[in-house]
Amino acid sequence: MAQKILQGFLVAVAAAIALSYTFGYSYLFKGIRETYLRGTTGSSIDDGTYFPSHTIAKGVPIPWKKDSTYNKKSLPKDFVEDLKNAKTASFLVIKNGKLVHEEYWDGYMQTSKTNSFSMAKPVTVMLVGKAIEEKKITGFNAKFSDFFENYKNIEFGKNLTLRNLAEMEAGLNWDENYNNPFLPNAKAYYGKSLEEAVLLRGFKAEPGTKFEYQSGATQLLGFALRKSLNKTIAEYASEKLWQPLGMEQNAEWNTDDFGMEKTFCCINATSRDFAKLGQLFLQDGIFNGEQILNKSIIEEMHMPTKLSNGAYGMGLWINNDSATKHYYFRGLYGQYIIIIPEKNMVIVRTGMNKNENLDQKGRPKEVEKYVHEAVKIFD
C-alpha cells in the first residue's frame, strides 16, 4: 500500500514538472530554491549572489566628505523605532554635498551591497539618455521597432516609442504583481531568459494612452539600449556612471542566463554609492566638475507626466504635492534615493518593508515622512 502511494506521489510530481515546462513555468523551481529552501518567502535585498551578474566596475574612489556634524545629531527615538519596525537596513542623509548622517541596522554596514530592485529603472533611463547624448540612439521618440523590426507587425507595437517605455505608458500585456508566481514579474526575476519573459509579450492598449507601472517596459528599454551598444549595459554603466562618480565599490547587475541585464531591477550596490546617483541629480548632472549627464536629461526625467497625474516622470516618482517638494528612485520593499532640491539634500533608505502605505497617486507615504524628518533634523 505504501509503495503504491509513493509511486502515485512520484507520478504526480513528474507530471507537475512536465506541465511546468510545457506551459513555461519552469522558472518556479528556481524561485522555490532561492526563497523557501533558503528560509524566506520571497525576494530580498540579499538576493544578488543567487543570480548571474555583470560587474559595474568602479574607477578611482572619491569617498563622501563628512560634514562637521556627521552623526552628531541622533534621529528621534520614535522615528528610529519606525525604521526598525520597517526592517530598515540603512538610512543616510547628505546635505550640501556632505554626509551628515549614516546609520545601519540588522548587521548591514557601509560596505554591504543590497538589491536596488526597481531603483535600477531610472538608472536604465539615465543610460539611455547618455546613449542619446552620444548619438548612439536618435532620441526618446525613437520607435522600439527601430531596434526590433518584428514589432512593426505586432498590434500597437509599431507605435511604441522609447519615451512610452520610460514614462510607463507602454500598454503592455503585463500585470505588475509581485505576489503571484504565475505572472510575468516572477518569470522575469527568476527565469532563464528575459527575451522569453518580456520580448514575446503583446499589448493590451495603444502606447501613450494610459499610465501603468510595468517592469516589462523598462526591460524593453534595456533591450533597446543593449542593441545600441558594443558592450554590456554594466560596462556602459561603469564607464558613464560608476567611474566618473567615483563610486567606492564595484556593483553587480544581475542578468538572465544569457547575460542580459535585468534592467527593471537588481543592481547590487552600497548605500553610499546609491547616494551618489541622487547627488548627480541634485547637481544637474555635474559631479567633480564634470558634466556626467546632460542637464536636459536630468530635467526631463523628473518632469511629471499628465497621464500619471503628476506622480511619475521618466523612471522617477515625483511628489510636488508635498510641503517640501521631492522626487525619488523607488524599489520594492522601500528602496529609496530621495532628492530634495530646495534643501540641497539626498536621502537613501534601504531595507525590507513589505507594508508600504500608498497615497491616492500610488506613492508610498513613508517617503514623505522620511523627507519631513530629515528636513526637521538636518536642515
Side-chain angles (χ1 to χ4, degrees), residues 26-312:
S26 59
Y27 65 89
L28 292 175
F29 297 111
K30 183 175 179 64
I32 292 169
R33 184 173 73 246
E34 306 302 358
T35 55
Y36 293 102
L37 296 185
R38 295 184 185 276
T40 65
T41 57
S43 56
S44 85
I45 57 173
D46 301 315
D47 278 353
T49 57
Y50 303 153
F51 299 94
S53 63
H54 286 154
T55 297
I56 308 176
K58 65 181 176 64
V60 178
I62 304 175
W64 279 105
K65 291 181 180 179
K66 294 180 180 178
D67 190 80
S68 59
T69 63
Y70 171 75
N71 275 5
K72 291 182 179 178
K73 295 181 180 180
S74 298
L75 301 177
K77 289 184 179 180
D78 58 343
F79 183 50
V80 171
E81 283 305 306
D82 287 344
L83 290 172
K84 288 181 177 179
N85 289 336
K87 296 186 177 180
T88 299
S90 71
F91 191 81
L92 280 66
V93 180
I94 289 88
K95 172 75 175 173
N96 297 328
K98 294 182 180 180
L99 196 56
V100 296
H101 189 84
E102 180 177 32
E103 197 163 354
Y104 301 88
W105 294 271
D106 291 337
Y108 294 94
M109 59 189 72
Q110 180 184 320
T111 56
S112 298
K113 297 177 186 178
T114 57
N115 192 341
S116 68
F117 288 112
S118 289
M119 290 201 301
K121 289 181 169 70
V123 175
T124 300
V125 177
M126 291 166 75
L127 294 174
V128 171
K130 191 65 182 179
I132 291 170
E133 183 184 330
E134 295 184 331
K135 302 189 185 308
K136 300 178 187 294
I137 296 175
T138 58
F140 279 106
N141 292 327
K143 296 285 184 66
F144 187 73
S145 60
D146 293 343
F147 302 88
F148 292 88
E149 195 170 351
N150 64 307
Y151 268 67
K152 292 179 180 178
N153 304 315
I154 300 174
E155 186 181 13
F156 301 136
K158 64 181 180 180
N159 300 322
L160 181 67
T161 67
L162 302 191
R163 184 177 301 280
N164 296 148
L165 295 171
E167 294 181 347
M168 294 296 174
E169 298 173 8
L172 299 178
N173 181 21
W174 187 283
D175 184 354
E176 189 74 7
N177 186 312
Y178 301 95
N179 299 316
N180 189 330
F182 297 101
L183 291 177
N185 275 72
K187 188 170 186 177
Y189 192 74
Y190 292 109
K192 292 183 177 183
S193 169
L194 285 164
E195 184 173 329
E196 180 184 324
V198 184
L199 268 179
L200 302 181
R201 302 196 69 84
F203 295 79
K204 60 184 177 184
E206 177 74 36
T209 60
K210 180 184 178 183
F211 171 77
E212 184 176 353
Y213 186 87
Q214 298 176 323
S215 287
T218 312
Q219 190 58 53
L220 289 182
L221 193 62
F223 275 116
L225 175 62
R226 181 67 187 88
K227 274 244 180 173
S228 73
L229 305 174
N230 59 1
K231 59 191 69 178
T232 68
I233 293 175
E235 287 172 330
Y236 195 58
S238 168
E239 181 183 325
K240 303 304 176 184
L241 294 175
W242 248 246
Q243 292 184 49
L245 286 173
M247 298 301 201
E248 296 181 36
Q249 303 287 336
N250 292 341
E252 281 72 44
W253 201 330
N254 290 138
T255 70
D256 68 8
D257 288 3
F258 300 95
M260 177 64 202
E261 285 84 356
K262 297 177 182 178
T263 51
F264 69 96
C265 77
C266 309
I267 296 174
N268 300 275
T270 67
S271 296
R272 281 189 169 200
D273 286 345
F274 282 139
K276 288 271 187 77
L277 298 173
Q279 191 67 26
L280 185 65
F281 275 84
L282 202 57
Q283 296 174 181
D284 292 329
I286 297 173
F287 188 84
N288 203 28
E290 181 183 351
Q291 190 78 46
I292 306 301
L293 190 60
N294 196 298
K295 182 180 178 181
S296 63
I297 298 296
I298 294 285
E299 292 175 341
E300 199 167 7
M301 285 182 67
H302 63 83
M303 180 85 61
T305 63
K306 290 181 180 179
L307 291 179
S308 71
N309 198 17
Y312 200 80

Side-chain angles (χ1 to χ4, degrees), residues 309-327:
N309 198 17
Y312 200 80
M314 294 174 65
L316 296 168
W317 290 86
I318 301 160
N319 192 340
N320 288 338
D321 305 314
S322 173
T324 305
K325 295 179 180 180
H326 55 275
Y327 58 94

